[in-house]
Amino acid sequence: AKKNHDDGMKLMKEDRAALALDEFRKADKQDGGHCVLCELEAWEAAMEAADFKVAREQATAMLGNVTIPGYKAQADYMLGRAWLSDGVKDKHDKEFEAADEAFQAALQIRPNYPDCIYEDGAALAYLKHDNQAVARFQSFLKIAAPNDLNYPRVQRFVERPELARARMAPNFRVTTIDDKTVTLESLAGKVVLIDFWATWCGPC
């Protein structure tokens, strides 16, 4: 089980999430289906590979194995994330409803969970429950640090909740070669060209 888990970690470092997922699931099976760490890693690999059905299975497996409330909140959050990602892909309300249910379960245990509050606001926005979504986003702004990556975006969502269900590029934070910090949100209002390249790629 340990060898499969370690192999999965190596594959994740090589950006081979689908193969890593197989290794983590094998490791969990060899541990009798009780390896919470394997299930967590498998969830991350499944999300990376956009296999949201398997991600839900892994989060559900975690829920069956954890007893500490904080870990249960994390597993509920993970389940919500998988449902929400599936909903964004398929545009089905039932998936957003399931996401909201999972996020609410997590928030029952851990009410001041910023990431969960943010994601639940998004799920509610996709359901077009804009007043509830705005309330969630306002709660996020009260407890999240102003340097949180999503903070400026959520400020806009409070004013215009429909933006939370718009097709938007994922936010990011990078340090430039002259040691400045840039986020996507800091470039709002400007035309942005993002060029993906790698040092090992000749054509790049």
Side-chain angles (χ1 to χ4, degrees):
K2 185 178 184 310
K3 182 184 181 304
N4 285 126
H5 178 270
D6 291 347
D7 287 346
M9 294 300 289
K10 286 177 191 168
L11 289 163
M12 284 296 283
K13 286 178 183 173
E14 295 168 5
D15 291 325
R16 299 164 76 188
L19 293 173
L21 175 58
D22 289 339
E23 296 300 322
F24 293 134
R25 295 183 85 186
K26 281 179 200 170
D28 188 34
K29 186 175 180 182
Q30 288 161 350
D31 198 39
H34 301 296
C35 177
V36 173
L37 180 60
C38 300
E39 290 154 2
L40 172 62
E41 302 287 3
W43 176 84
E44 289 180 352
M47 292 294 286
E48 186 77 23
D51 192 337
F52 305 123
K53 180 176 182 288
V54 170
R56 293 197 303 271
E57 290 170 0
Q58 296 308 307
T60 302
M62 273 189 71
L63 281 167
N65 285 324
V66 295
T67 54
I68 298 170
Y71 292 164
K72 186 178 185 314
Q74 184 182 1
D76 278 318
Y77 166 73
M78 289 160 54
L79 181 60
R81 282 271 315 279
W83 276 118
L84 181 59
S85 297
D86 231 351
V88 171
K89 179 172 66 85
D90 296 336
K91 300 292 188 289
H92 290 155
D93 280 0
K94 65 175 184 148
E95 289 156 345
F96 296 127
E97 287 163 2
D100 175 45
E101 186 179 327
F103 291 136
Q104 288 197 51
L107 291 168
Q108 285 289 319
I109 300 167
R110 194 174 153 197
N112 293 328
Y113 192 164
D115 290 343
C116 193
I117 292 169
Y118 170 79
E119 299 287 359
D120 194 34
L124 291 165
Y126 275 107
L127 287 166
K128 299 190 177 166
H129 298 168
D130 285 354
N131 291 338
Q132 291 171 270
V134 167
R136 279 291 194 231
F137 292 136
Q138 287 171 332
S139 296
F140 173 88
L141 293 175
K142 285 176 188 172
I143 64 170
N147 65 351
D148 186 293
L149 187 60
N150 290 313
Y151 200 93
R153 186 165 279 193
V154 172
Q155 287 178 310
R156 291 201 289 151
F157 291 168
V158 167
E159 298 298 321
R160 296 183 56 199
E162 72 276 8
L163 288 177
R165 57 181 172 265
R167 188 173 180 188
M168 298 176 76
N171 204 357
F172 59 80
R173 178 182 284 121
V174 295
T175 302
T176 64
I177 56 172
D178 53 353
D179 211 31
K180 293 178 182 172
T181 300
V182 176
T183 66
L184 183 61
E185 286 296 308
S186 71
L187 302 170
K190 298 177 181 178
V191 176
V192 179
L193 171 66
I194 301 175
D195 179 21
F196 294 91
W197 63 282
T199 54
W200 46 260
C201 173
C204 294

